[in-house]
């Protein structure tokens, strides 16, 4: 039987999010979409993650309109998004009615593959988004259950297999291993993929990794040999560094294995030719820092994602405390252990990083505990993977019990929609506008105001012309 390994192209989302903070505007890539549509990708990741926020906050774009435009130019390719479970694309837990509507609108506007994850792998936070995906599914919809991969004494292969079994039971159709820090080694990939395949039969497995530490190509090689079904790659000029391995490189490697990727060689090369000058322009204007294209093996020691390192350097520089960098870096694994080994992915990466810096700068551990870390210890982000340090728990909780903050238990009142309608008035013209506001209130309001002003200017201009 001919084996296939399909490729997801990430240049429109994760590759440009990782290399240049998601600043790629739609206008830059509209002209290549029809070529991408012929390339034979498993899917094109183009939405979710930070794209929604970036559209409203920095690019003056309507994220929904962007999605509809991509859909229009790519009718034959599965469009994929990354969704942070109950947090959607933001940083707090939303009510179930908001999560359901968001998923409904995402599918309605063109999304096919919804990759759903929770920072803590607390599966209660995936249920609502999954149910909504299955409820509004079209024939192309795929609900992908995603695991935030990390290494720690409590993250064993057995534990991951248990999570995968649960995801399969919940109704997910594929399983994605999301190695956001790029620290998954080739042998860890082998152990995991073989283990999951043995336990789950023919459930398709997707591997998402980053080149940050330089290990990704080796890891993908072992993953391919171990039976992975889909791998995430980026067109070569937007690959490597903090981004994904290169699409063309993996295409050639798969050919050598005699494995069919379904890719059209001419099309994938045309995609890279198209993006080359675009990338150069962003290097020239400083948006793309060449540092993010380098290999940084430090993450293998500290298990710290690249974005978290640059964040920490920026914070310490602001505070004129870069001399404490090494100490703060060494404090990260300690804080992580105290908090029960949360995977270092948004928002946990920021929380752990900031707490480590605070511990070092104040010269006393947990003299000050951030609001977010307190809420985490209270249980508001979900269940920690391992036990939280007892003394620390006592310090934050006193005698009270941790809460169970599964939002599902809260009422579904539609109050966010009502509040959004009231706040926006005639600025809102669609459910999508309301949803943008619910997710990012000030950014969406500013965008919708600009949209209205622009239209009014066009009207006045037309009248003058008459
Ligand atoms: Co990623």
């Amino acid at each position: 039987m001919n084996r296939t390994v399909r490729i997801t192209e990430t240049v429109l989302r994760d590759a440009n999010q990782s290399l240049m903070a998601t600043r790629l505007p739609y206008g830059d890539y509209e002209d290549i979409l029809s070529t991408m549509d012929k390339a034979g990708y498993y899917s094109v990741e183009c939405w979710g993650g930070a794209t929604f926020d970036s559209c409203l906050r920095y690019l003056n774009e309507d994220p929904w309109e962007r999605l509809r435009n991509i859909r229009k130019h790519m009718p034959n390719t599965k469009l994929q998004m990354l969704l942070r479970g109950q947090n959607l694309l933001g940083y707090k837990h939303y009510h179930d009615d908001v999560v359901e509507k968001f998923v409904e609108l995402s599918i309605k506007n063109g999304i096919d593959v919804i990759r759903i994850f929770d920072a803590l792998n607390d599966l209660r936070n995936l249920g609502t988004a999954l149910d909504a995906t299955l409820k509004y599914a079209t024939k192309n919809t795929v609900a992908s259950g995603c695991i935030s991969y990390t290494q720690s004494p409590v993250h064993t292969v057995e534990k991951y297999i248990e999570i995968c079994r649960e995801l399969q039971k919940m109704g997910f159709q594929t399983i994605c291993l999301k190695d956001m820090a790029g620290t998954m080694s080739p042998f860890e990939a082998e152990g995991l993929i073989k283990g999951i395949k043995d336990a789950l039969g023919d459930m398709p497995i997707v591997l998402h990794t980053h080149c940050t530490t330089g290990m990704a190509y080796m890891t993908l090689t072992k993953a391919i040999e171990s039976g992975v079904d889909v791998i995430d790659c980026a067109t070569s000029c937007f690959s490597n560094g903090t981004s994904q391995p290169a699409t063309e490189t993996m295409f050639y490697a798969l050919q050598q294995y005699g494995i069919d990727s379904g890719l059209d060689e001419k099309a994938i090369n045309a995609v890279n030719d198209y993006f080359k000058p675009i990338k150069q322009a962003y290097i020239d204007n400083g948006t793309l820092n060449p540092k993010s294209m380098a290999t940084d093996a430090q993450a293998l020691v500290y298990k710290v994602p690249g974005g978290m390192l640059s964040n920490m350097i920026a914070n310490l520089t602001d505070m004129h405390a870069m001399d404490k960098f090494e100490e703060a870096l060494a404090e990260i694994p300690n804080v992580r252990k105290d908090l029960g080994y949360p995977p270092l992915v948004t928002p946990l990466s920021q929380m752990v990083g900031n707490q480590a810096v605070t511990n070092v700068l104040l010269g006393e551990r947990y003299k000050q505990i951030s609001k977010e870390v307190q809420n985490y210890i209270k249980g508001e982000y979900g269940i920690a993977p391992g036990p939280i340090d007892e003394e620390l728990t006592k310090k934050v909780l006193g005698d009270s019990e941790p809460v169970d903050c599964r939002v599902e238990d809260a009422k579904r009142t539609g109050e966010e929609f009502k509040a959004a309608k009231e706040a926006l008035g005639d600025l809102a013209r669609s459910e999508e506008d309301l949803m943008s506001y619910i997710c990012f209130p000030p950014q969406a309001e500013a965008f919708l105001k600009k949209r209205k002003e622009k239209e009014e200017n066009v009207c006045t201009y037309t009248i003058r012309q008459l």
Side-chain angles (χ1 to χ4, degrees), residues 357-375:
V357 168
T358 310
N359 285 358
V360 165
L361 289 187
L362 295 184
E364 184 189 328
R365 305 190 70 221
Y366 305 110
K367 188 175 183 187
Q368 229 179 62
I369 303 173
S370 73
K371 187 97 203 113
E372 290 81 10
V373 170
Q374 290 189 36
N375 290 341

Side-chain angles (χ1 to χ4, degrees), residues 114-356:
I114 307 191
R115 183 181 281 176
I116 308 169
F117 80 102
D118 176 70
L120 292 175
N121 296 318
D122 184 339
L123 303 186
R124 297 173 308 169
N125 291 330
L126 308 186
T128 310
L130 168 67
D131 292 346
T133 304
L134 299 176
K135 179 172 171 186
Y136 295 101
T138 69
K139 65 178 193 326
N140 288 326
T141 304
V142 179
S144 184
C146 182
I147 292 177
S148 307
Y149 177 78
T150 188
Q151 292 114 325
S152 87
V154 298
H155 289 90
T156 57
V157 172
E158 293 70 32
K159 177 77 200 165
Y160 282 119
I161 291 174
E162 194 187 307
I163 299 175
C164 289
R165 276 214 179 92
E166 211 43 57
L167 291 171
Q168 188 179 37
K169 237 190 272 165
M170 288 170 80
F172 282 105
Q173 295 146 326
T174 67
I175 283 178
C176 171
L177 303 169
K178 175 181 164 66
D179 175 27
M180 53 276 171
T183 58
M184 187 190 289
S185 75
F187 293 100
E188 284 164 334
E190 180 182 34
L192 267 174
I193 292 168
K194 284 187 173 164
I196 298 169
K197 282 278 172 190
D198 279 348
L200 269 63
D202 47 8
M203 172 70 105
I205 299 178
V206 182
L207 181 57
H208 173 88
T209 184
H210 287 254
C211 296
T212 322
T213 68
M215 209 139 52
Y217 289 96
M218 292 181 278
T219 303
L220 285 188
T221 304
K222 265 283 188 228
I224 290 165
E225 290 170 2
S226 308
V228 79
D229 298 280
V230 179
I231 52 177
D232 282 9
C233 298
T235 192
S236 58
C237 66
F238 267 92
S239 70
N240 297 343
T242 52
S243 175
Q244 272 76 50
T247 305
E248 302 95 296
T249 310
M250 294 315 298
F251 165 77
Y252 286 108
L254 286 168
Q255 266 190 333
Q256 305 259 297
Y257 275 107
I259 295 174
D260 183 19
S261 64
L263 289 180
D264 178 318
E265 187 176 0
K266 230 171 104 190
I268 58 171
N269 286 327
V271 170
N272 187 48
D273 287 343
Y274 178 89
F275 277 106
K276 264 189 213 162
I278 292 174
K279 173 201 169 189
Q280 191 56 47
Y282 285 109
I283 291 178
D284 294 346
N285 76 12
T287 306
L288 200 166
N289 185 338
K291 256 194 195 148
S292 62
M293 311 206 60
T295 302
D296 183 353
Q298 225 170 7
L300 294 174
V301 181
Y302 295 106
K303 309 295 182 205
V304 175
M308 189 171 160
L309 274 185
S310 49
N311 206 23
M312 214 165 90
I313 292 170
N315 283 345
L316 286 171
T317 309
D318 278 354
M319 292 184 279
H320 305 285
M322 259 314 274
D323 57 317
K324 299 274 194 228
F325 178 68
E326 292 296 328
E327 215 182 316
L329 196 58
E331 173 66 355
I332 289 176
N334 301 331
V335 173
R336 194 168 161 243
K337 176 167 182 268
D338 293 340
L339 296 179
Y341 300 105
L344 295 178
V345 61
T346 305
L348 269 315
S349 46
Q350 290 85 343
M351 284 156 56
V352 170
N354 292 344
Q355 190 61 52

